[in-house]
Amino acid sequence: MQPLLVIKDERFAHHLEQIFHLENPKRLQAILSVLEEPSLAGKWTEVAPRLASPQELAMVHTPDYIERVARTSGMPLFAFDLDTQTTEKSYDVARLAVGSVFSLLDEIWKGRADRGFVPLRPPGHHAEPDRAMGFCLFNNIALGARYLKECHSVERVMIVDIDAHHGNGTQTAFYDTDAVLFVSMHGFPAFPGTGSLGEVGRKKGEGFTINIPLGKGHGDMDFARIIHFLLNPVAREYQPEIILVSCGFDLYMHDRLGAMQVSPEGYALLTRLLLETAENVCNGRIVFIMEGGYSLKGIRECGLRVLQELCNVPTLRRDKTDKLKLHGVPRFSALKKVIGIQKKYWKILR
Ligand SMILES: [Zn+2]
């Protein structure tokens, strides 16, 4: 059995064709080209995607909003706001994005593999239940988590958002519930303006939203420490049945929007640590779903390192992971503050 399942579909390029946009079809071509790298040959298996139905989209979105997106079908250009536009085929492409997450999760639940990678457009984590924003139409990862609950009776899903921006839409979708543990690390203050330390969930969901707001310029080891000292222990206490990763490539050091300093090797390290967490808590089940990333070079180079780790092609120097584990305490203040707040909810952090 190959370790990794992948969706590979050229139709994701049919959204925002022939208009100038940062979130453009070249981003898809950049990540699909990585799949052809010789080091990955024979190490992943393709899964055929389907389109999500309007009824399925309603697991997260309001019928009125779904209808508003549907009505853009066939229109050469429609703007939901200054950032978020559609072209003729965008509605179907966005349904394909959601459906591809469903198809891949079905295969994982059949036991065909433990790991998945879904390179899709448009991204999803900014999409609110009733509103398009931040280049996102439907919330792919939130719908994936709901689908697991509705169709595969999964009780606990952990979503880890490593995009440089806060996953506001995903947070909204699960703010009141303990069925999804949402963890986001992101620049703050920055777009979309949410994701402060005090946003921890509400009612039954209190303690099941973890925000790690960060100033500009954090690099490989800072993000690795967040996973090692916070995310990993919390995952052990929560015991999710799967980890879903909102995988933005805009932490990359030369990204046009992200303002962070993560190298391609840093992406390999983050992936390795997330894989280790998944091995420890949920039999290795983990799916990476693409979000932002606006440097084509960054998507190619970071995407390659993520995929190599997912395919068990070792590229990391041993001392990089050892160095992290030798540092006994979380060193930087942003992480200390988050632990200070979250230890009220998580015994393991006390
Ligand atoms: Zn982003």
Side-chain angles (χ1 to χ4, degrees), residues 163-165 250:
D163 189 278
H165 302 97
D250 46 8

Side-chain angles (χ1 to χ4, degrees), residues 125-126 163-165 248 250 291-294:
H125 71 151
H126 295 307
D163 189 278
H165 302 97
D250 46 8
E291 300 284 359
Y294 306 97

Side-chain angles (χ1 to χ4, degrees), residues 260-302:
M260 294 298 175
Q261 289 292 328
V262 175
S263 69
E265 189 181 39
Y267 268 88
L269 180 59
L270 297 191
T271 307
R272 172 80 62 89
L273 293 170
L274 288 169
L275 287 172
E276 283 176 11
T277 303
E279 302 291 338
N280 289 335
V281 300
C282 50
N283 299 317
R285 280 197 291 264
I286 188 165
V287 175
F288 283 60
I289 298 165
M290 193 160 148
E291 300 284 359
Y294 306 97
S295 155
L296 296 177
K297 186 166 180 267
I299 291 174
R300 277 193 297 269
E301 293 185 0
C302 301

Side-chain angles (χ1 to χ4, degrees), residues 142-197:
L143 282 156
R146 280 266 187 254
Y147 180 77
L148 284 172
K149 192 170 167 55
E150 301 292 323
C151 301
H152 294 290
S153 305
V154 174
E155 289 178 7
R156 288 178 311 281
V157 177
M158 181 167 179
I159 296 181
V160 179
D161 190 321
I162 61 167
D163 189 278
H165 302 97
H166 181 236
N168 57 291
T170 315
Q171 173 171 299
T172 303
F174 304 115
Y175 210 55
D176 290 335
T177 177
D178 58 1
V180 172
L181 169 60
F182 174 64
V183 185
S184 179
M185 49 200 93
H186 47 265
F188 187 88
F191 182 87
T194 49
S196 66
L197 276 174

